[in-house]
Amino acid sequence: MDVRPLSIDGAWAFTPVLHGDDRGVFLEAFKADVVAETIGRPFQLAQVNTSVSAAGVVRGIHFSDVPPSQAKYVTCSAGAVLDVVVDIRVGSPTFGRWDAVLLDDNDRRAVYLSEGLGHAFCSLQDGSVVTYLCSTGYRPGSEHGIDPMDPELGIEWPKIARDGSPLEYVLSEKDSAAPGLSQARESGLLPSLDDVREFLTD
């Protein structure tokens, strides 16, 4: 498995070795020892989520309170998505920046994002299936969002679907109504880098 750090500290892309023959393909989609060696601690799996999205669906930017927040290991088992990690940790040298990785059913790549980071994706094909391995379970009241279309962030969402057709973005009412980065920061909604570090070293 090839591991590549993203430009946001605490996020990595994992690309598995694909073993293919006339029957199909086999791969190791997740290896606990590789992830633990990469992030410096064991990945505690508490919940597995799956979403299925039509082309143009944008989900996120989602994050949760620190502590305990939620680390995620994200893959796309069918279809394709542009997966986006956003640094929302106040005090981080890369605060407000984002990085993106194509997750699809060809390369079978995955993204790991640590606690305190924001996560979003845009589906590039109807029926794209995204699976999230999560370090904590869903906690109503502790889950938050930032507007994925916030011009301050300037995320370069894809304009063309996998089949070459133009994408029309579809967001949930909750995601559409989410505050921008500055508004979320001013309201005290965002985690601080110090809080994240303290939680991860406890």
Side-chain angles (χ1 to χ4, degrees), residues 16-197:
V17 176
L18 305 182
H19 304 278
D21 57 26
D22 56 3
R23 299 170 300 164
V25 176
F26 173 84
L27 64 141
E28 296 173 334
F30 174 83
K31 297 191 71 173
D33 57 340
V34 174
V35 173
E37 181 179 357
T38 300
I39 69 176
R41 62 190 183 280
F43 177 77
Q44 301 294 331
L45 177 60
Q47 183 170 315
V48 179
N49 300 331
T50 299
S51 66
V52 182
S53 302
V57 168
V58 175
R59 297 184 187 267
I61 302 164
H62 298 151
F63 66 98
S64 55
D65 290 336
V66 178
S69 190
Q70 189 180 70
K72 299 175 182 176
Y73 186 90
V74 186
T75 61
C76 180
S77 57
V81 303
L82 184 72
D83 199 76
V84 177
V85 178
V86 184
D87 192 348
I88 58 170
R89 302 167 298 188
V90 177
S92 168
T94 55
F95 176 78
R97 297 186 193 173
W98 57 274
D99 202 348
V101 178
L102 176 65
L103 305 182
D104 62 21
D105 51 16
N106 288 330
D107 295 330
R108 308 285 180 177
R109 193 172 288 113
V111 166
Y112 172 89
L113 60 148
S114 182
E115 294 86 349
L117 295 175
H119 177 253
F121 70 79
C122 177
S123 174
L124 305 178
Q125 176 181 322
D126 286 342
S128 292
V129 179
V130 174
T131 299
Y132 322 66
L133 309 186
C134 303
S135 64
T136 59
Y138 175 70
R139 293 172 298 119
S142 298
E143 309 293 329
H144 309 288
I146 295 172
D147 179 4
M149 303 302 173
D150 182 7
E152 181 181 357
L153 288 171
I155 296 174
E156 297 175 7
W157 295 109
K159 296 179 172 60
I160 303 299
R162 202 179 195 187
D163 63 4
S165 62
L167 284 175
E168 294 184 13
Y169 305 130
V170 180
L171 284 71
S172 70
E173 290 185 11
K174 182 178 179 180
D175 288 346
S176 296
L181 183 69
S182 291
Q183 184 182 354
R185 180 178 185 175
E186 291 165 3
S187 65
L189 199 61
L190 303 182
S192 73
L193 182 62
D194 288 342
D195 287 344
V196 173
R197 285 175 171 170

